[in-house]
Amino acid sequence: YELLEKEIIHKEELRLSNECYKIIVEQTDSVVFEWNIKENKSFVSQAWTEKFGYNNACKNIFKEIKDKDLVHSEDKAIFEGFLESIKKTNMHNQAVYRLKKSNGEYIWCRTSITSIYNDENELLRVVGVIVDVDSDIKKYEELRTRAESDSLTNIYNKGTFEKLVEETIVMNTGDKKDALFIIDLDVVYMQDYVTEVNLHKKAKELNRVLSDNYTDLSFSFDASVSIGIARYPQDGTSFFELFKNADRALYSIKASGKNSYCLFEEELYVQ
């Protein structure tokens, strides 16, 4: 009698658990799926059809994603790495990438999975959820752009520019020559200028474009521009060194007459 009672209680608990699971799956707009490794079949919730427009009667949702080439080309390495992680003995894994809907639109999604193993550490099932995080990521990108850019001109602010230059210097393996330009109007970093002929050409071009007569309905004025240039790596191997020497070259050209450019030369600044 006691065994029968325990079995009845167990079945009732299982029924309630399944009911709760069914309610959660039906009420969420995220895609819930379960992949049975042994039988190579999947359960995929109706949200796969409602949100993405694909048939949810698929045997393997990951195979479906790969066969239909639904992952954005820039995110395929992330997705492949995520699939590889499932084969390992990690219980929980997740990845963020863009998935294509049936109308061709890509949206950012976060896929989280839990792997279930038997006592012999053999993978039995993978249970997971695909959550639409598109609006969150786009809001984050917008906030990051605002933080990194000048609100008026929409160009990088000084802190972001310095960070990008430092990253570029770190990535330089020594086979390319770069240059930092300091201009009265902005700062310009030229990557891989190859020869100093190109440096002179670019400086003259900047002088020509930025030096002009500006006429408005109410007034007109002549604009001139002075440019100081420091070369990487010979004039500095960090943003600070390049900026300092480009600034010295800038003031040198200002002292000798505006509307031109000057390359930093060490011997000119020996005190």
Side-chain angles (χ1 to χ4, degrees):
Y1 176 78
E2 288 180 357
L3 290 175
L4 181 60
E5 184 180 28
K6 286 181 180 180
E7 185 178 350
I8 293 172
I9 292 173
H10 175 71
K11 286 183 178 181
E12 181 63 16
E13 288 176 346
L14 185 61
R15 186 188 67 79
L16 290 173
S17 177
N18 288 335
E19 284 294 324
C20 290
Y21 178 73
K22 183 180 177 182
I23 291 170
I24 292 171
V25 168
E26 289 176 349
Q27 290 187 350
T28 182
D29 63 350
S30 299
V31 179
V32 179
F33 62 89
E34 181 179 335
W35 178 23
N36 188 314
I37 307 298
K38 285 287 187 181
E39 299 178 13
N40 192 28
K41 65 180 182 180
S42 291
F43 159 77
V44 182
S45 67
Q46 185 64 23
W48 182 240
T49 302
E50 295 172 353
K51 179 173 285 292
F52 291 92
Y54 304 116
N55 192 332
N56 68 322
C58 55
K59 289 185 177 181
N60 185 327
I61 189 169
F62 295 123
K63 188 176 185 300
E64 174 96 343
I65 291 173
K66 288 194 69 172
D67 289 349
K68 290 188 175 181
D69 196 23
L70 303 184
V71 178
H72 194 285
S73 58
E74 295 177 4
D75 303 329
K76 286 185 177 179
I78 295 173
F79 182 71
E80 292 294 337
F82 175 66
L83 293 184
E84 285 297 317
S85 72
I86 296 176
K87 300 175 184 177
K88 300 176 182 177
T89 56
N90 300 324
M91 284 191 64
H92 306 287
N93 291 286
Q94 71 174 15
V96 177
Y97 50 88
R98 283 161 287 186
L99 274 177
K100 183 167 64 175
K101 299 168 70 173
S102 60
N103 62 4
E105 176 193 1
Y106 283 95
I107 63 171
W108 285 99
C109 297
R110 183 180 67 247
T111 301
S112 304
I113 63 103
T114 297
S115 300
I116 300 172
Y117 300 86
N118 60 17
D119 294 337
E120 287 74 39
N121 210 28
E122 183 183 12
L123 183 59
L124 299 178
R125 287 186 298 159
V126 174
V127 180
V129 61
I130 300 176
V131 182
D132 180 357
V133 293
D134 195 65
S135 60
D136 292 336
I137 289 185
K138 286 178 178 175
K139 284 178 184 177
Y140 167 76
E141 291 293 338
E142 182 182 351
L143 289 173
R144 188 179 70 172
T145 299
R146 288 181 183 178
E148 293 179 348
S149 305
D150 176 79
S151 59
L152 180 63
T153 62
N154 206 32
I155 60 175
Y156 289 129
N157 57 35
K158 183 177 181 296
T160 303
F161 180 77
E162 180 177 346
K163 177 175 174 287
L164 291 174
V165 171
E166 289 286 7
E167 289 175 355
T168 303
I169 289 173
V170 170
M171 295 297 292
N172 194 322
T173 57
D175 58 338
K176 295 180 180 179
K177 298 178 181 179
D178 300 344
L180 178 70
F181 289 58
I182 293 186
I183 309 171
D184 277 352
L185 302 176
D186 282 307
V187 179
V188 176
Y189 192 76
M190 182 178 179
Q191 288 184 247
D192 195 17
Y193 65 84
V194 184
T195 68
E196 292 201 3
V197 172
N198 291 331
L199 271 185
H200 287 275
K201 181 179 178 182
K202 179 57 67 177
K204 289 177 181 177
E205 183 182 349
L206 285 169
N207 269 125
R208 178 180 57 79
V209 171
L210 298 175
S211 303
D212 206 344
N213 177 271
Y214 293 88
T215 304
D216 193 84
L217 293 175
S218 56
F219 66 94
S220 65
F221 65 93
D222 292 320
S224 64
V225 61
S226 301
I227 303 174
I229 303 172
R231 294 150 295 188
Y232 172 87
Q234 68 189 76
D235 300 329
T237 56
S238 68
F239 179 86
F240 176 77
E241 289 180 314
L242 289 170
F243 189 91
K244 179 183 70 175
N245 289 332
D247 193 51
R248 292 164 78 179
L250 171 66
Y251 278 91
S252 175
I253 197 65
K254 279 189 172 183
S256 61
K258 294 183 179 181
N259 205 30
S260 188
Y261 66 93
C262 177
L263 271 66
F264 174 80
E265 298 292 347
E266 184 66 41
E267 58 268 18
L268 298 177
Y269 303 95
V270 176
Q271 299 294 327

